[in-house]
Amino acid sequence: MFSHLGASRAAVAPARGRRSQLTLLWRTAAAVVAAALLAGCMSDRTPVAVAGDPANPSAGSASVGYRSTIAPYTSLRPSTPQPWRERNDSVTPPARPDH
């Protein structure tokens, strides 16, 4: 069936010119974009209220805990800050004599 559509389109397309191919391309692109947009509207079919009725005051809820975002922080400074000239000179490689 699909080979018949391809053959008829190949026979008719030169008679219509390039405009029909561009129209087909635009329609196909519009269909793909519409399908992608509608795919974002689909639900994942999970119930909204898994634990029961949200209006029920005796319904249970998950416990709430506190975790600090900076708790494992330790200072990374190995020594007290020094002036930049001495620090730069301490890490500079020794000078080589010219050949």
Side-chain angles (χ1 to χ4, degrees), residues 7-8 12-13 17-18 20 26 30 35 38 41 45 52 56 58 60 63 69 71 75 77 92 95 97:
S8 66
V12 176
R18 186 158 172 83
S20 65
W26 280 108
L38 290 176
C41 298
R45 297 185 183 193
N56 184 4
S58 64
S63 63
T69 56
S75 177
R77 292 182 180 239
T92 304

Side-chain angles (χ1 to χ4, degrees), residues 22 67 71 75:
L22 289 175
R67 289 183 290 163
S75 177

Side-chain angles (χ1 to χ4, degrees), residues 25-49:
L25 179 68
W26 280 108
R27 286 182 182 174
T28 305
V32 169
V33 168
L37 290 175
L38 290 176
C41 298
M42 292 179 58
S43 69
D44 57 355
R45 297 185 183 193
T46 56
V48 176

